[in-house]
Amino acid sequence: MSAIDDLTGELARLPGIGRKTALRLAFHLLKAPSDDAQRLARAIVAVRERVRPCEVCGNLTEVTPCAICTSTRRDGTTVCVVEEASDIMAIERTGEYRGMYHVLGGRLSPLDGVGPSELNVEPLVRRVGGGVVQEVVLATNPSVEGEATAMYLRKLIGPLGVRVTRIARGLPVGGDLEYADGVTIAEALTHRREM
Amino acid sequence: MSAIDDLTGELARLPGIGRKTALRLAFHLLKAPSDDAQRLARAIVAVRERVRPCEVCGNLTEVTPCAICTSTRRDGTTVCVVEEASDIMAIERTGEYRGMYHVLGGRLSPLDGVGPSELNVEPLVRRVGGGVVQEVVLATNPSVEGEATAMYLRKLIGPLGVRVTRIARGLPVGGDLEYADGVTIAEALTHRREM
């Protein structure tokens, strides 16, 4: 197999990258300054070598515990539970949340063989039971599996005597009623608020 | 800068990859089996080390002259002129063309400072003047600059006494009159054929 075919094949394994895009990227990497290609290759290797999960929350970090877990300016009494470390970045970008996180590493999905023991659930229970945490915000995705995971965690954590909340569902800001799906509109109506 | 930010930045430099996609790819590379990431990094380095332009036609190849130039089953009397080596792959996929190629390495673009001396024009003239070539198919893109490049080459190559043709313009197969631009429809009408 040629080096171009080989690179195209590897690029096409990336999520959302089809055969044509992979080919375009491969040619770009061939034509780009040599430094650019080298830097990308090195960055891929470096990220694998330097980044690992935080021992406390599961966030991806180069120093463990991570900067969020060791921060003295954050609220240690609130833990936001997310499916993936990438969700933390999305929430941090909003600047609206100043508590801690806990990464499950996925969501319950019996069809894919993902049960509670495959997820980072036990450390969460231990953490919540430690006496410091007062609220657990369940921020798993608003999908069927994300909801099921949130339900499961609520049942598990509820008896520990902490507040368990779920992120709100409704119409996305900038969204359009006309294009929103029925379930979302129904949720938005049910959870309407006083103005 | 963190290794994740670094990798995200490098990925975002690729064409058509925005910040969000870059982040998604970076997280994928972090979560993927270690082999996958290593193979991609190696493939990027390998493609730069092993692939270079064919000394005859400018096609990207690991052996020069390339497999097309050295093939005995292809028609050496016809040369198809394309802007980029990636265009060769697109034409080869059709299986409709059995001649040779010549890669210009771009198109005339005075605004970007690309004149004839920046392109692989002189070797083309030498090749066409060598006595073997009987037809030059100008397959630069049907864009303003691609057309200008084709016009320039026709004037340059015409006096050499070979047939100079241009790939047809018209409605793309599977296209829709309603969504086609006016210029394309006009071209399709002008170059209508007997059925």
Side-chain angles (χ1 to χ4, degrees):
Chain A
M1 191 151 74
S2 84
I4 296 179
D5 288 343
D6 194 25
L7 176 57
T8 306
E10 292 301 330
L11 288 167
R13 294 169 63 97
L14 297 173
I17 306 286
R19 203 75 206 166
K20 269 197 172 170
T21 306
L23 201 58
R24 191 164 46 82
L25 294 176
F27 277 109
H28 170 86
L29 286 168
L30 257 171
K31 288 182 62 180
S34 182
D35 269 11
D36 282 26
Q38 292 283 352
R39 273 209 314 276
L40 174 57
R42 273 201 305 267
I44 292 169
V45 173
V47 89
R48 297 294 302 221
E49 280 169 358
R50 285 163 51 189
V51 178
R52 66 226 128 137
C54 167
E55 59 192 309
V56 178
C57 73
N59 186 16
L60 291 168
T61 177
E62 290 174 52
V63 279
T64 173
C66 74
I68 293 175
C69 285
T70 54
S71 168
T72 53
R73 285 168 33 217
R74 299 189 69 115
D75 172 14
T77 67
T78 310
V79 172
C80 177
V81 179
V82 293
E83 293 180 17
E84 303 290 351
S86 47
D87 299 330
I88 294 182
M89 233 180 252
I91 296 176
E92 285 297 293
R93 269 198 301 272
T94 68
E96 289 292 313
Y97 181 72
R98 301 301 299 165
M100 301 300 174
Y101 289 99
H102 191 89
V103 178
L104 290 175
R107 58 200 169 285
L108 293 180
S109 179
L111 288 176
D112 301 322
V114 180
S117 57
E118 271 72 45
L119 301 178
N120 202 11
V121 167
E122 214 187 280
L124 172 65
V125 174
R126 253 184 285 124
R127 218 175 144 190
V128 173
V132 176
V133 177
Q134 290 169 21
E135 177 177 351
V136 173
V137 183
L138 299 174
T140 52
N141 285 319
S143 62
V144 173
E145 290 168 340
E147 288 297 339
T149 308
M151 298 278 269
Y152 171 82
L153 291 176
R154 186 177 56 82
K155 270 190 202 152
L156 200 70
I157 295 167
L160 300 175
V162 298
R163 197 174 160 214
V164 181
T165 56
R166 178 86 175 104
I167 48 167
R169 296 216 291 190
L171 287 169
V173 176
D176 193 320
L177 259 181
E178 194 178 338
Y179 300 117
D181 65 292
V183 182
T184 298
I185 296 176
E187 291 267 347
L189 284 172
T190 308
H191 300 288
R192 66 189 182 279
R193 277 167 295 191
E194 295 293 338
M195 285 193 64
Chain B
M1 192 153 74
S2 82
I4 296 179
D5 288 343
D6 195 25
L7 176 58
T8 305
E10 292 301 332
L11 288 167
R13 295 169 63 97
L14 297 172
I17 306 286
R19 203 76 207 165
K20 268 195 173 174
T21 306
L23 201 59
R24 190 164 47 83
L25 294 177
F27 276 111
H28 170 86
L29 285 168
L30 256 172
K31 288 182 62 182
S34 182
D35 270 9
D36 282 26
Q38 291 283 353
R39 273 209 314 276
L40 174 57
R42 274 200 306 266
I44 292 169
V45 173
V47 89
R48 296 294 302 219
E49 279 169 0
R50 285 162 52 189
V51 178
R52 68 224 125 144
C54 168
E55 58 192 309
V56 178
C57 73
N59 187 16
L60 291 169
T61 178
E62 289 174 51
V63 278
T64 174
C66 74
I68 293 176
C69 285
T70 53
S71 169
T72 55
R73 286 168 34 218
R74 300 189 70 116
D75 172 14
T77 67
T78 309
V79 172
C80 177
V81 179
V82 292
E83 294 180 17
E84 303 290 351
S86 47
D87 298 329
I88 294 183
M89 233 180 251
I91 296 176
E92 284 297 292
R93 269 198 301 271
T94 68
E96 289 293 315
Y97 181 72
R98 302 301 297 163
M100 300 299 174
Y101 289 99
H102 191 89
V103 178
L104 290 175
R107 58 200 170 285
L108 293 180
S109 179
L111 288 176
D112 301 323
V114 181
S117 57
E118 271 73 46
L119 300 178
N120 203 12
V121 168
E122 213 187 281
L124 173 65
V125 174
R126 252 184 285 125
R127 220 175 143 189
V128 174
V132 176
V133 178
Q134 291 168 22
E135 177 178 351
V136 174
V137 184
L138 299 175
T140 52
N141 285 320
S143 61
V144 173
E145 290 169 339
E147 288 297 339
T149 309
M151 297 279 269
Y152 171 81
L153 291 176
R154 186 177 56 81
K155 270 191 203 152
L156 201 70
I157 295 167
L160 300 176
V162 299
R163 197 173 161 217
V164 181
T165 56
R166 177 88 176 103
I167 48 164
R169 298 216 292 189
L171 287 169
V173 176
D176 194 320
L177 259 180
E178 195 178 336
Y179 300 117
D181 65 292
V183 182
T184 299
I185 296 176
E187 291 267 346
L189 284 171
T190 308
H191 300 288
R192 67 191 181 280
R193 277 166 296 190
E194 296 292 339
M195 288 193 63

